[in-house]
Amino acid sequence: KIGALIAIEREDPLGGYAESGMAIDSKISEELLETIFTPSSPLHDGGVIVQHGRVLAAGCLFPLTQGYDLSRIFGTRHRAALGISEETDAIVLVVSEERKDMSLVFKGKLHKDLGRDELLSKMKEFYKVRKNHA
């Protein structure tokens, strides 16, 4: 039962959000992310920011969405993912601790309950979107 919130920087810088967390600056790995998001970790409640393929910071605070009619089954992680995606062009991965499902958020839109292949396909699609065409 491990949840996760990971914002992947694209063109809009996420450094300001990184300042609210703990600087990591490490190569991204499954083991590092699992350690960060383990419930006993002091950083597990915040978000991770990935910049240029590296974990820039963890335990970061993201703004919560204010204008999204989101079902009560979605918690703070999903609201934070929507919030940062409304303010930046980041691609945000959310793993639900309770439901164990994966969602992607991009440009204020939640793509929920994705399988592995669908998740990878959507991520590739979003990476190709240019800022002026988003």
Side-chain angles (χ1 to χ4, degrees):
K1 292 189 86 171
I2 294 178
L5 175 60
I6 302 169
I8 303 166
E9 185 180 82
R10 294 183 69 241
E11 294 179 35
D12 295 335
L14 300 179
Y17 299 103
E19 291 175 6
S20 69
M22 173 74 66
I24 302 289
D25 190 26
S26 176
K27 180 180 171 190
I28 194 166
S29 71
E30 181 180 334
E31 295 83 6
L32 176 60
L33 292 174
E34 189 174 321
T35 299
I36 290 169
F37 289 114
T38 296
S40 61
S41 165
L43 301 174
H44 90 280
D45 276 335
V48 161
I49 295 176
V50 174
Q51 180 186 67
H52 307 297
R54 296 180 64 81
V55 174
L56 177 64
C60 301
L61 301 177
F62 298 159
L64 301 181
T65 186
Q66 296 299 314
Y68 198 85
D69 185 26
L70 194 60
S71 168
R72 289 179 182 246
I73 67 168
F74 297 107
T76 305
R77 279 194 180 100
H78 289 84
R79 294 177 197 287
L82 283 161
I84 196 167
S85 80
E86 291 165 352
E87 295 185 9
T88 72
D89 67 347
I91 299 169
V92 189
L93 171 64
V94 184
V95 179
S96 171
E97 192 171 324
E98 291 79 24
R99 292 183 319 284
K100 301 176 189 150
D101 61 1
M102 295 183 293
S103 301
L104 271 181
V105 181
F106 182 63
K107 292 291 185 185
K109 184 167 184 195
L110 175 67
H111 304 268
K112 59 185 179 175
D113 304 323
L114 301 175
R116 185 180 189 278
D117 292 340
E118 195 175 13
L119 179 81
L120 292 173
S121 175
K122 285 268 184 221
M123 286 187 81
K124 288 177 186 176
E125 175 187 330
F126 296 156
Y127 267 113
K128 292 178 184 177
V129 174
R130 292 182 182 237
K131 189 172 187 173
N132 58 358
H133 293 97

